[in-house]
Amino acid sequence: MGVDLLNIEGLKELEHQGPVVMVNLMRFHDRSLDGDGSGWDAYLRYSALTVPMIKARGGTLLWTGDAKTVALGRLDGNQWNYLALVYYPSVAAFIDMMTSADYETRCDPHRRNGCAEHVIIATAEAYSKFKMG
């Protein structure tokens, strides 16, 4: 799990090149891998550094929340702790942030220390009550 798993080719091949919302699914370690608090604590350090980087690229955090239970579907492999919806004006803005040296050296270590698993799903709007942009 890490920036090395970023699907750059798949993202660049998306037909949709307009605004995207990235759906983040996270499962935290009980303890941060660096020993500094819990996995949640490490994720908060990650967020404090990452949100300004998102905003600098024209993006914004739309929504976050605790995952409570699987309401429909398989329970195996779907035990998440936290979700976040993050708006980016383009796939290119997301790739730019994720591949930046600043993200790799300052942000990603906290994400790796905190998250046992982190899946990001790129979406293209079909319908929304959110005003994007």
Side-chain angles (χ1 to χ4, degrees):
M1 178 190 73
V3 177
D4 55 317
L5 296 178
L6 187 63
N7 181 10
I8 294 174
E9 283 79 36
L11 289 168
K12 286 183 177 179
E13 290 175 6
L14 289 177
E15 288 183 21
H16 175 80
Q17 291 300 315
V20 294
V21 173
M22 298 297 184
V23 177
N24 289 251
L25 305 171
M26 292 151 279
R27 182 177 309 113
F28 300 120
H29 293 292
D30 289 334
R31 298 287 306 154
S32 176
L33 296 182
D34 64 1
D36 187 9
S38 67
W40 172 249
D41 294 330
Y43 181 76
L44 290 177
R45 291 188 292 275
Y46 165 78
S47 292
L49 295 169
T50 305
V51 169
M53 294 177 73
I54 294 166
K55 290 182 177 181
R57 289 163 175 82
T60 191
L61 194 59
L62 293 175
W63 183 91
T64 65
D66 295 325
K68 296 298 186 182
T69 189
V70 173
L72 175 70
R74 294 178 50 115
L75 298 179
D76 299 352
N78 282 314
Q79 302 303 311
W80 303 102
N81 298 123
Y82 200 67
L83 289 85
L85 302 178
V86 185
Y87 166 87
Y88 292 87
S90 66
V91 171
F94 173 75
I95 293 171
D96 180 65
M97 184 189 83
M98 295 294 288
T99 58
S100 71
D102 201 29
Y103 180 89
E104 185 174 350
T105 59
R106 294 181 63 229
C107 302
D108 201 48
H110 295 296
R111 186 184 67 80
R112 289 176 185 248
N113 285 330
C115 293
E117 188 166 4
H118 185 183
V119 175
I120 301 175
I121 301 167
T123 70
E125 183 178 302
Y127 169 82
S128 177
K129 285 195 171 192
F130 289 121
K131 176 165 175 48
M132 292 181 25

